[in-house]
Amino acid sequence: MSLLDRIRPDLAGFTPYASARRTGLLAPVRLDANESPGPAAGDRAGLNRYPAPQPPALLAGLAALYGVEPDQIWAGRGSDEAIDLLVRAFCRPGQDSVVSVAPTFGMYAIAARLQGADYRTVRVGGDVGFALDADALLAATDADTKIVVLCSPNNPTGTVHHHLVADLATALAGRALLLVDEAYVEFADVASAATLLGRHPNLAVLRTLSKAHALAGARIGCLLAAPELVRLVGAIAAPYPLPAPSVQAALSALEDAALAATQARVAEAIAERERLSALLPGVPGVERAWPSAGNFILIRCSDPGACFQRLLAAGVLVRDVSAQPGLAGCLRVSIGLRAENDRLLQALGMERAA
Ligand SMILES: *Cc1c(COP(=O)(O)O)cnc(C)c1O
């Protein structure tokens, strides 16, 4: 059974909006899209024209970066958009389910809820380093489960689950999509699950330029998947999902010099993460700091409210995740610049940042 047989039956034969740019036709006089024939004052980028739905140069650059073919990529407004579109494509409201881990990134639950799909989770606990039991995850699925989402490294725990991907994809073959969210994989010492795409047609991988590539403001992320899945997502997506200035920013980020700078930034973030991981457990009020493969660290404080307020009063904002399942007392700290991390340590009462 092909995974495409599992999409919402009412979407079979869905006809996408026939936008002017979808035809691929170009002519010197373009009177096909009700655009302004001339630019706005001060515009040198030709923003009076609608952008290409999926600019070929961008797809080629992302394909080279991620080691896939251009027809295995759909690029959108951040990976969040791809999550939303996949849930909408597969899940029948009131009937189908999305299965994931708890705690994890909050957008999976939001996307499921907006679609009226059931959202089920399997708990991972800090006492065992947030390790995941693949059998427990599979046991939470049933005949109406359409998507299993695995965030690796997981946000906010920092745990890598990549070693489970191949077995999970095999176990879910033909019945559910295994969606691996690799938003932080650049900070982890693990190969992308995209290397397994050829062997598992029900596997899809999310990548983003928002974290390692320092382009959160540009909103560019992508889905790496089998070409038929990529075509499906493209068919149900907005006609012009990628703003031209964001495409420009992404193309700049894909140039050699920019990629080298990204590598240096990632190396710096990893070094700072390891420095903080070593120092944080010795800080007053910090009970535990879990090892992380992301650009953040999860810590548990004896009094998380007081810790959060003390940091805020010192001008340092962290994320209070203590309300998430299994994360009582926990805060998530993003890795900043060295001076910013020193400020965090000082605010927490560390005598002198090493
Ligand atoms: C930050 C983050 C993303 C990135 O989302 P974008 O929409 O691409 O900015 C995706 N997944 C997780 C788990 C994240 O933490």
Side-chain angles (χ1 to χ4, degrees):
M1 188 177 194
S2 156
L3 193 67
L4 285 200
D5 297 330
R6 298 281 285 157
I7 68 167
R8 276 167 44 201
D10 55 304
L11 284 185
F14 180 79
T15 312
Y17 172 70
S19 72
R21 290 296 166 269
R22 251 190 230 275
T23 65
L25 295 172
L26 276 181
V29 180
R30 285 150 74 172
L31 306 179
D32 62 338
N34 296 353
E35 300 153 330
S36 166
D43 170 25
R44 301 223 166 134
L47 296 182
N48 55 314
R49 299 293 178 186
Y50 280 106
Q54 294 284 283
L58 179 66
L59 294 189
L62 291 170
L65 179 65
Y66 296 139
V68 298
E69 296 300 320
D71 67 354
Q72 292 176 295
I73 298 189
W74 181 81
R77 286 176 302 234
S79 39
D80 287 351
E81 187 176 26
I83 297 167
D84 180 59
L85 290 171
L86 286 168
V87 171
R88 282 205 264 164
F90 280 95
C91 294
R92 294 167 293 182
Q95 190 166 354
D96 292 337
S97 63
V98 175
V99 169
S100 190
V101 169
T104 194
F105 185 46
M107 284 306 293
Y108 317 138
I110 302 260
R113 185 136 183 250
L114 280 172
Q115 178 63 11
D118 190 18
Y119 182 71
R120 300 180 195 161
T121 56
V122 169
R123 279 282 280 271
V124 288
D127 45 339
V128 292
F130 299 106
L132 173 65
D133 177 7
D135 289 333
L137 194 64
L138 291 171
T141 68
D142 64 20
D144 291 329
T145 298
K146 296 292 182 66
I147 303 179
V148 173
V149 192
L150 196 59
C151 184
S152 178
N154 191 22
N155 175 6
T157 64
T159 322
V160 171
H161 299 299
H162 270 70
H163 57 289
L164 303 175
V165 170
D167 285 352
L168 282 171
T170 301
L172 296 167
R175 63 183 185 97
L177 177 71
L178 177 63
L179 183 60
V180 180
D181 187 340
E182 293 188 342
Y184 301 99
V185 78
E186 291 90 346
F187 303 96
D189 189 14
V190 65
S192 167
T195 56
L196 302 171
L197 284 177
R199 258 171 286 161
H200 302 280
N202 65 322
L203 175 65
V205 176
L206 295 170
R207 300 294 300 256
T208 180
L209 299 184
S210 294
K211 308 287 161 58
H213 294 272
L215 280 183
R219 310 300 307 126
I220 303 270
C222 58
L223 171 75
L224 313 179
E228 64 261 29
L229 204 58
V230 164
R231 281 195 295 273
L232 168 72
V233 167
I236 66 171
Y240 307 107
L242 300 170
S246 294
V247 171
Q248 241 353 287
L251 288 173
S252 299
L254 294 172
E255 285 170 10
D256 288 345
L259 290 174
T262 292
Q263 241 179 25
R265 262 195 327 273
V266 167
E268 167 75 11
I270 292 171
E272 280 295 286
R273 177 187 75 203
E274 296 311 307
R275 184 173 76 95
L276 282 185
S277 293
L279 291 174
L280 279 168
V283 164
V286 175
E287 295 177 345
R288 189 152 183 189
W290 280 273
S292 171
N295 65 343
F296 54 85
I297 298 178
L298 184 71
I299 61 174
R300 193 178 65 215
C301 307
S302 44
D303 185 346
C307 200
F308 182 88
Q309 287 303 333
R310 182 146 36 97
L311 286 169
L312 192 57
V316 179
L317 184 60
V318 298
R319 190 71 165 263
D320 184 350
V321 293
S322 59
Q324 287 195 43
L327 295 187
C330 291
L331 302 176
R332 191 195 65 194
V333 181
S334 302
I335 306 300
L337 297 171
R338 189 177 170 100
E340 295 175 322
N341 302 332
D342 283 343
R343 194 157 156 187
L344 170 97
L345 291 167
Q346 270 156 20
L348 284 172
M350 188 143 164
E351 298 286 292
R352 187 184 62 84

